[in-house]
């Protein structure tokens, strides 16, 4: 079990770091994309970058995060109330991260259709959402306050 636990934890952390890298970068691409003319060469390049980032990095990393995270939680029996409710709080925040992920997917599709779903300012603010969620998740996991 110890060996399985350490491998699952390592794989989960690698997946989380990959997911977060993409979640922090994609809204930044949206900021830049919203600044260029529709149909321009730069706009077309951003479309390719956004699609590849989402499909090749963010989506697989998100799936791996959930798979290894849940597997790890069941391996250590983290859902047992005797272990506290920190995991429940963490999962609530991860679900919010999942919603942010879904919104980014929707925004990417809108940009691909040459629409501007939101303003540059909105994307600058939205860029902070994954960072704040990540900080809260790490604090809950490390401190286990409940």
């Amino acid at each position: 079990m110890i060996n399985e636990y350490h491998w699952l934890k390592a794989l989960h952390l690698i997946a989380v770091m990959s997911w977060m890298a993409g979640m922090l970068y994609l809204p930044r691409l949206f900021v830049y994309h919203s600044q260029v003319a529709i149909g321009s060469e730069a706009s077309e390049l951003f479309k390719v970058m956004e699609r590849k980032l989402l499909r090749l990095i963010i989506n697989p990393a998100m799936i791996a995060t959930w798979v290894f995270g849940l597997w790890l939680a069941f391996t250590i029996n983290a859902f047992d109330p005797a272990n506290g409710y920190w995991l429940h709080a963490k999962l609530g925040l991860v679900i919010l991260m999942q919603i942010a992920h879904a919104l980014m997917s929707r925004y990417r599709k809108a940009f691909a259709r040459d629409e501007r779903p939101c303003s540059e300012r909105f994307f600058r603010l939205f860029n902070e959402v994954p960072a704040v969620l990540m900080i809260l998740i790490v604090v809950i996991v490390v401190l286990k306050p409940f």
Side-chain angles (χ1 to χ4, degrees):
M1 169 154 161
I2 297 291
N3 196 26
E4 178 185 18
Y5 167 78
H6 290 295
W7 274 107
L8 287 174
K9 191 173 187 179
L11 292 170
H12 179 61
L13 289 171
I14 291 165
V16 168
M17 286 186 285
S18 300
W19 188 23
M20 286 310 306
M23 292 291 287
L24 294 169
Y25 187 49
L26 188 57
R28 180 58 43 191
L29 288 178
F30 293 157
V31 169
Y32 300 142
H33 196 162
S34 65
Q35 296 173 339
V36 301
I38 291 173
S40 67
E41 187 176 327
S43 179
E44 296 307 309
L45 178 60
F46 281 121
K47 288 178 190 180
V48 171
M49 293 170 66
E50 292 158 359
R51 186 186 76 248
K52 287 186 175 184
L53 179 61
L54 192 66
R55 290 187 179 171
L56 300 177
I57 297 173
I58 299 175
N59 288 345
M62 178 267 307
I63 292 166
T65 296
W66 276 103
V67 168
F68 293 124
L70 290 173
W71 189 354
L72 182 62
F74 285 112
T75 298
I76 64 170
N77 200 22
F79 290 102
D80 185 339
N83 293 323
Y85 294 97
W86 66 271
L87 182 62
H88 302 80
K90 174 192 173 181
L91 287 175
L93 293 171
V94 174
I95 288 169
L96 291 177
M97 186 75 75
Q98 189 70 56
I99 292 168
H101 180 137
L103 288 171
M104 286 186 209
S105 181
R106 180 178 289 173
Y107 298 144
R108 189 211 60 84
K109 289 175 184 175
F111 274 115
R113 294 187 305 266
D114 286 327
E115 298 170 7
R116 295 298 185 254
C118 299
S119 69
E120 172 189 341
R121 179 171 163 70
F122 171 84
F123 288 120
R124 287 185 186 282
L125 294 171
F126 189 77
N127 191 52
E128 305 308 320
V129 170
V132 170
L133 289 171
M134 176 188 64
I135 290 166
L136 293 172
I137 290 167
V138 169
V139 167
I140 286 173
V141 169
V142 172
L143 299 180
K144 294 181 177 59
F146 349 97

